[in-house]
Amino acid sequence: MTVKPSLSPELPTDLDKNRLPQHVAVIMDGNGRWAKSRGLPRIMGHQRGVDALKDLLRCCGEWGIPALTAYAFSTENWGRPLEEVEFLMTLFERVLQRELEEMMQENVKIRFIGNLAALPESLRREIAKSQAETSKNSGIQFTVAANYGGREEIVQACQAIARQVQQGLVSPEAIDESLFAQYLYTAGIPNPDLLIRSSGEMRISNFLLWQMAYAEIYVTDTLWPDFDRVQFHRALKDYQGRHRRFGKL
Ligand code: FPP
């Protein structure tokens, strides 16, 4: 008989609470395939994907992982059919409206990263509202990457620093890794320790390129809507079995 891992709010006993990743990032891939395999429209996969993300956020809070970042929409995703892009934008807006109260109750602090200026205005309003209302919360840091591209993030940081240099506010010699990181969208958020990608693709897909330098990467064949605590437990177990060397011996 196989024993099903614990699904309770408690951290499974075979995980070491002192060696949990302090920041988990997720590439939520496979929503479309999940829907297709059930004869459903792709958008149903995204809807179920939100449920999986919501449970993961709650799980991180319960198990003591202080930061979660989710890749919701990349700068490349605009190339999808207009209908799907519009659905996703409306979905983000609706989820923010629907979940704000619960995020407040659960002390979640939400932040969006990416080129937000290009998002629909009504979505930008909901983003601003949810960020402002949760800004004083001290629980889990939940970061959502929307219209996010890692290369674009680095380029905009370079532009911002170049402007500072041009104005004489920063000297070129003062530019080091820590100064550079302050100009990224993720300023103030620690780098991810663990990247989880669902649906089997072995790619980073332009996600957190700078921040991911020493992240452990875990890829599962599970499609995102099926990613649950059992899967998360497996990812954490795998993570704790690794020897992180950060380039040293
Ligand atoms: C990738 O699956 C998934 C997306 C592009 C969208 C993910 C977004 C959510 C789950 C909503 C999150 C909402 C908030 C507010 C944070 P895919 O469509 O590429 O799947 P496929 O590879 O099977 O086609």
Side-chain angles (χ1 to χ4, degrees):
M1 192 183 100
T2 51
V3 180
K4 226 176 168 217
S6 161
L7 292 177
S8 80
E10 310 297 323
L11 182 71
T13 50
D14 61 345
L15 291 175
D16 178 350
K17 72 172 181 357
N18 298 314
R19 289 178 49 240
L20 288 171
Q22 295 301 292
H23 183 177
V24 173
V26 282
I27 300 182
M28 310 177 288
D29 199 10
N31 291 347
R33 275 164 283 171
W34 181 92
K36 193 164 172 245
S37 70
R38 285 164 175 75
L40 299 168
R42 289 176 55 81
I43 55 172
M44 295 290 287
H46 297 314
Q47 245 155 5
R48 290 296 291 268
V50 173
D51 297 338
L53 179 59
K54 206 180 147 186
D55 192 49
L56 180 62
L57 179 63
R58 185 173 294 131
C59 187
C60 285
E62 289 169 356
W63 291 2
I65 294 168
L68 175 70
T69 296
Y71 204 2
F73 195 86
S74 74
T75 45
E76 289 73 35
N77 285 154
W78 296 108
R80 293 187 174 211
L82 184 62
E83 215 183 29
E84 184 170 338
V85 170
E86 284 178 349
F87 176 84
L88 280 168
M89 295 299 149
T90 311
L91 179 70
F92 299 152
E93 201 176 313
R94 277 208 327 260
V95 170
L96 284 179
Q97 282 165 347
R98 195 181 67 203
E99 303 298 334
L100 182 55
E101 200 181 317
E102 203 173 320
M103 285 194 288
M104 289 305 290
Q105 278 161 13
E106 302 203 358
N107 200 18
V108 172
K109 185 173 180 170
I110 194 169
R111 172 151 144 203
F112 277 74
I113 56 169
N115 180 2
L116 306 181
L119 297 174
E121 202 195 327
S122 53
L123 173 57
R124 287 202 322 261
R125 269 200 304 272
E126 288 304 326
I127 289 175
K129 184 172 172 211
S130 64
Q131 289 186 151
E133 288 200 20
T134 64
S135 66
K136 301 258 163 17
N137 289 350
S138 55
I140 185 164
Q141 168 70 58
F142 177 41
T143 307
V144 179
N147 193 25
Y148 174 90
R151 287 184 174 179
E152 195 244 21
E153 178 184 37
I154 289 169
V155 168
Q156 69 76 37
C158 290
Q159 289 175 341
I161 295 169
R163 279 193 292 271
Q164 299 283 85
V165 171
Q166 202 173 36
Q167 290 168 30
L169 299 170
V170 169
S171 78
E173 294 70 32
I175 303 169
D176 58 10
E177 291 186 16
S178 103
L179 181 131
F180 194 82
Q182 289 166 31
Y183 287 83
L184 295 171
Y185 296 135
T186 49
I189 299 173
N191 293 328
D193 297 306
L194 172 63
L195 168 70
I196 298 174
R197 180 166 188 150
S198 58
S199 95
E201 314 282 358
M202 306 273 189
R203 283 192 289 273
I204 292 186
S205 297
N206 204 13
F207 190 36
L208 301 175
L209 295 181
W210 170 280
Q211 299 85 341
M212 215 75 92
Y214 288 104
E216 295 295 325
I217 300 179
Y218 178 86
V219 176
T220 168
D221 284 335
T222 302
L223 303 177
W224 179 253
D226 290 329
F227 190 89
D228 60 14
R229 289 177 185 225
V230 175
Q231 310 293 328
F232 190 40
H233 175 213
R234 271 185 207 144
L236 294 174
K237 191 86 191 117
D238 189 272
Y239 171 83
Q240 292 199 334
R242 301 204 193 168
H243 178 48
R244 300 187 76 197
R245 295 190 305 168
F246 299 96
K248 304 185 185 86
L249 288 179

